[in-house]
Amino acid sequence: MKIQVNEQALTLPNSMNIEQLLSHLEKPLIGSAVAVNMQVISRSEWTQYNINEGDNISLFQAIAGG
Amino acid sequence: MLFEEMKQQDQLIIGDKSFTSRLFTGTGKFNDQQTMVDALKASKSELVTMALKRVDMADRDDDILAPLIKNGMNLLPNTSGARNAKEAVFAAELAREALQTNWVKLEIHPDPKYLLPDPIETLKAAEMLANKGFIVLPYVHADPVLCKHLESAGCAAVMPLGAPIGSNKGIKTAEFLDIIIEQATIPVVVDAGLGSPSHAALAMEMGADAVLVNTAIAVAGNPVAMSEAFAKAVQAGRQAYLAGLGGQSTQAVASSPLTAFLEASL
């Protein structure tokens, strides 16, 4: 399945939900936020929300700031 | 009420939280994570700001969150990087998921040179975010009229600036902060530009409810010691405000009796 993650083309080996995608990308669950096609996906939906072919995923992470 | 009792009962309430410390701190610009954690602990701050960034797929990110949560700090994500209301609302919604808090420091500064907040977009975003149930603390210019509009929009506090972000110039907006503090029915947190503990103390003496300091602590020679100095200054300034400062006068007012007893003995 071909998707875009933060403007990078990516091919997933199988279908997966958002939580599985973060694990697949070796990104932490804590402090992360995810938008699919510019819609913010609530953390409580991460295990139910399945990624679709052609989805544009945006990943964000909490960092230090003022 | 005795002054000691008054001091002990002096709590700051914003939204659904109450704070003993009136020094809020930022987590940016520290040389390393351990220094940041040590400095924030020394500040006794109960509210610390954070930012959000788009993940660089090649990077491994430091886990900045765990030590902050472990030390019982409340997190205040900002919308830094947003250039308009729409981007700020998107950033706030992302931050809510990332940090599991509906608190947000709303900041919209389209110009990277001075980082001055856009009042029109900030008011628009504040209305939208308050309607969506966020606890909104907007970073704004020291504009009394705007601050009243933000209050009406449902903000939990206002955060007017003392001077541009990171400039360490102190309170350049004093006359307008006075008006904001006089008129506000929500807490006023002086944010940005406070470069030394005396600046923070002055803000508190003026009647600000709290201050937010980041750069002045993070870039100090010894951030942990500076953090403590800020904490003491904020406490001293608050106590002075509660104690009631003496008024100013253009003429001298003698502190000793000016009787003519020396003349009489000659």
Side-chain angles (χ1 to χ4, degrees):
Chain A
M1 184 191 299
K2 287 190 170 61
I3 59 168
Q4 290 267 328
V5 180
N6 288 5
E7 280 78 52
Q8 278 187 29
L10 202 71
T11 304
L12 298 182
N14 48 284
S15 70
M16 54 180 74
N17 62 40
I18 288 179
E19 197 168 302
Q20 289 163 337
L21 174 70
L22 285 170
S23 302
H24 175 72
L25 297 171
E26 296 181 346
K27 296 295 172 192
L29 299 182
I30 291 174
S32 288
V34 181
V36 178
N37 305 323
M38 295 305 281
Q39 288 296 311
V40 180
I41 309 298
S42 159
R43 185 174 286 268
S44 60
E45 294 171 34
W46 284 4
T47 52
Q48 290 120 53
Y49 195 104
N50 288 313
I51 312 275
N52 291 309
E53 176 82 31
D55 273 348
N56 185 4
I57 317 274
S58 305
L59 290 187
F60 297 84
Q61 179 69 33
I63 56 162
Chain B
M1 192 192 295
L2 289 171
F3 191 77
E4 278 309 307
E5 274 179 49
M6 188 163 123
K7 243 173 57 179
Q8 275 168 18
Q9 289 174 17
D10 181 38
Q11 288 220 324
L12 168 61
I13 295 171
I14 301 179
D16 55 350
K17 290 191 167 78
S18 67
F19 301 92
T20 307
S21 166
R22 290 171 182 268
L23 172 59
F24 300 158
T25 46
T27 56
K29 298 185 189 169
F30 286 91
N31 273 343
D32 59 84
Q33 195 183 111
Q34 192 56 50
T35 306
M36 178 197 79
V37 172
D38 291 345
L40 296 184
K41 274 163 77 175
S43 77
K44 298 199 166 56
S45 180
E46 295 158 313
L47 188 68
V48 299
T49 61
M50 296 198 70
L52 212 63
K53 74 160 187 180
R54 195 173 275 267
V55 171
D56 182 339
M57 299 304 285
D59 272 6
R60 283 202 71 84
D61 294 301
D62 281 348
D63 180 10
I64 182 180
L65 275 180
L68 299 178
I69 294 167
K70 192 176 141 206
N71 286 292
M73 289 161 189
N74 294 294
L75 303 175
L76 178 62
N78 67 32
T79 61
S80 184
R83 289 158 299 179
N84 55 46
K86 193 178 165 210
E87 289 181 2
V89 170
F90 184 58
E93 287 177 336
L94 287 167
R96 180 167 60 184
E97 297 312 317
L99 297 174
Q100 297 292 282
T101 176
N102 61 348
W103 281 53
V104 63
K105 177 185 169 186
L106 172 61
E107 50 180 306
I108 302 176
H109 32 68
D111 165 28
K113 186 173 178 189
Y114 295 107
L115 296 175
L116 290 172
D118 181 327
I120 296 162
E121 295 297 316
T122 301
L123 181 58
K124 262 195 244 172
E127 283 167 349
M128 288 191 263
L129 289 169
N131 284 337
K132 286 172 181 273
F134 282 88
I135 305 287
V136 187
L137 292 81
Y139 165 65
V140 286
H141 208 299
D143 178 339
V145 178
L146 175 63
C147 285
K148 287 309 280 183
H149 278 305
L150 289 162
E151 196 175 302
S152 303
C155 291
V158 284
M159 303 181 79
L161 59 84
I165 292 173
S167 68
N168 286 345
K169 282 188 169 181
I171 300 182
K172 298 296 175 194
T173 55
E175 301 285 330
F176 304 100
L177 287 176
D178 273 336
I179 301 172
I180 292 169
I181 291 165
E182 183 206 322
Q183 293 182 340
T185 58
I186 53 174
V188 177
V189 182
V190 176
D191 180 14
L194 304 181
S196 68
S198 61
H199 298 155
L202 177 59
M204 298 308 295
E205 286 173 12
M206 288 166 62
D209 294 280
V211 295
L212 173 54
V213 181
N214 186 350
T215 303
I217 292 173
V219 306
N222 183 334
V224 180
M226 186 59 77
S227 196
E228 269 179 25
F230 266 97
K232 287 176 182 167
V234 168
Q235 277 175 16
R238 178 65 182 173
Q239 181 159 337
Y241 172 74
L242 291 176
L245 290 157
Q248 293 188 357
S249 161
T250 48
Q251 286 188 3
V253 181
S255 303
S256 305
L258 295 178
T259 51
F261 74 98
L262 288 172
E263 283 173 31
S265 66
L266 287 172

